[in-house]
Amino acid sequence: MANRKDLIHQRLITEGQKTAAFYQSLPPAELDQPVYLAGPGWRARDLIAHLVSTERTILRLVQDILAGGAGAPADFDIDAFNAAETAAWSGNAPGALTQAFAAARAATVALVETLAEADLDRRGRHPFLGEASLDDMLKLLYRHTMLHERDARKALETGQPLPGGPD
């Protein structure tokens, strides 16, 4: 049986490839279709921008915790952060966004390769989870892409944005 690190490593690779392929396959009209009604009314294009930002941010967070840091500040406003970051990234060309996501995921995968199994038990503050282990943070990272891809697929298939918000 594979250890936790190997399972996380493989899921990050597999789900990252699926996510990149999904967003690469979308024509421009679908990239501009709304996926969520709540909040800023994110489109499929905004979701890949959000995933780029999340991937890069969680990588830095994990690096901070590995270096002995506490993780995200206690007063971190995840909604304000997501709105600002997504707006900053979503103006990029779709291909550039997908490439940025793939590069950020590759950096996360490379970091996981360097971890010892015991590192997964280190704890810090995550912007969404609160106090959590690196194991939980890294699992959420690949689940996060899965959830947003599922929502985007549903909105695109039905032509109707979902009533909720992005996170």
Side-chain angles (χ1 to χ4, degrees):
M1 183 169 142
N3 60 33
R4 293 180 300 160
K5 176 189 156 183
D6 292 343
L7 291 171
I8 290 169
H9 181 260
Q10 189 55 50
R11 289 299 297 267
L12 284 167
I13 292 170
T14 303
E15 296 307 326
Q17 291 170 342
K18 287 179 187 177
T19 296
F22 170 69
Y23 284 100
Q24 282 177 328
S25 74
L26 296 180
E30 288 185 350
L31 283 165
D32 289 328
Q33 182 171 327
V35 174
Y36 298 115
L37 290 173
W42 286 10
R43 305 163 297 163
R45 171 191 305 273
D46 300 321
L47 284 180
I48 188 63
H50 169 63
L51 296 175
V52 171
S53 170
T54 300
E55 195 77 28
R56 292 166 52 101
T57 301
I58 298 303
L59 175 63
R60 288 191 307 269
L61 179 79
V62 169
Q63 290 168 330
D64 176 67
I65 293 167
L66 288 168
D75 62 349
F76 187 83
D77 184 341
I78 192 170
D79 293 328
F81 177 83
N82 284 339
E85 283 284 302
T86 299
W89 278 97
S90 65
N92 288 290
L97 287 170
T98 305
Q99 288 175 351
F101 171 76
R105 177 55 61 96
T108 302
V109 167
L111 176 66
V112 169
E113 289 170 356
T114 71
L115 297 179
E117 185 79 9
D119 288 330
L120 296 173
D121 295 324
R122 291 185 187 218
R123 299 184 68 77
R125 185 182 316 279
H126 184 276
F128 180 78
L129 295 173
E131 183 71 22
S133 67
L134 290 184
D135 180 74
D136 288 338
M137 291 181 200
L138 292 166
K139 286 177 182 174
L140 180 60
L141 194 56
Y142 65 75
R143 290 174 179 154
H144 181 243
T145 59
M146 293 167 65
L147 292 171
H148 283 312
E149 183 181 332
R150 178 203 64 198
D151 289 351
R153 284 181 187 280
K154 185 173 183 179
L156 293 170
E157 287 170 6
T158 66
Q160 298 295 315
L162 303 175
D167 282 329

